Amino acid sequence: MSFLFGGRPQLSSAEKITAAETEVEMISDMFNRLSQSCTSKCIPPEYREADLNKGESVCLDRCVSKFFEVNMKVSEKMQGEAAQKGGAGMGGFGM
């Protein structure tokens, strides 16, 4: 009944587990896309040395930074659009 007084409804244990599993899947997917994208852009398929050289290291650093920056901008945009859609439905409620 906490939702009646402005609080968030409590999730059951099964819902919490499902939410955690979904979050782990999303993070794993993002990590895999990041790894695949930046590796293909920055590391040549034929290895010359066991360690990354300076150019590869700088490329990976920039690639990861750009990946997260774009990911954050897309997330903010999607959240803004979702909030607008949610707010638009409530706009005529009091009229």
Side-chain angles (χ1 to χ4, degrees):
M1 298 212 24
S2 64
F3 65 91
L4 293 176
F5 301 105
R8 300 176 94 182
Q10 297 297 319
L11 297 176
S12 69
S13 293
E15 290 172 326
K16 289 179 184 178
I17 291 170
T18 302
E21 288 173 344
T22 302
E23 187 172 356
V24 167
E25 287 176 13
M26 289 172 47
I27 291 171
S28 295
D29 178 59
M30 183 176 67
F31 176 77
N32 290 334
R33 287 185 290 122
L34 169 87
S35 296
Q36 183 180 8
S37 176
C38 291
T39 299
S40 66
K41 290 177 184 176
C42 298
I43 300 175
E46 65 281 341
Y47 296 102
R48 296 187 187 126
E49 302 171 3
D51 296 328
L52 294 174
N53 64 35
K54 185 165 179 92
E56 293 166 342
S57 182
V58 168
C59 180
L60 285 170
D61 186 46
R62 289 180 180 164
C63 182
V64 169
S65 177
K66 288 179 183 179
F67 187 93
F68 280 116
E69 183 179 338
V70 169
N71 194 6
M72 289 299 295
K73 286 182 181 182
V74 169
S75 295
E76 289 170 2
K77 177 95 171 147
M78 290 177 69
Q79 287 176 355
E81 289 179 5
Q84 286 177 347
K85 287 181 183 178
M90 297 295 287
F93 182 71
M95 295 182 164

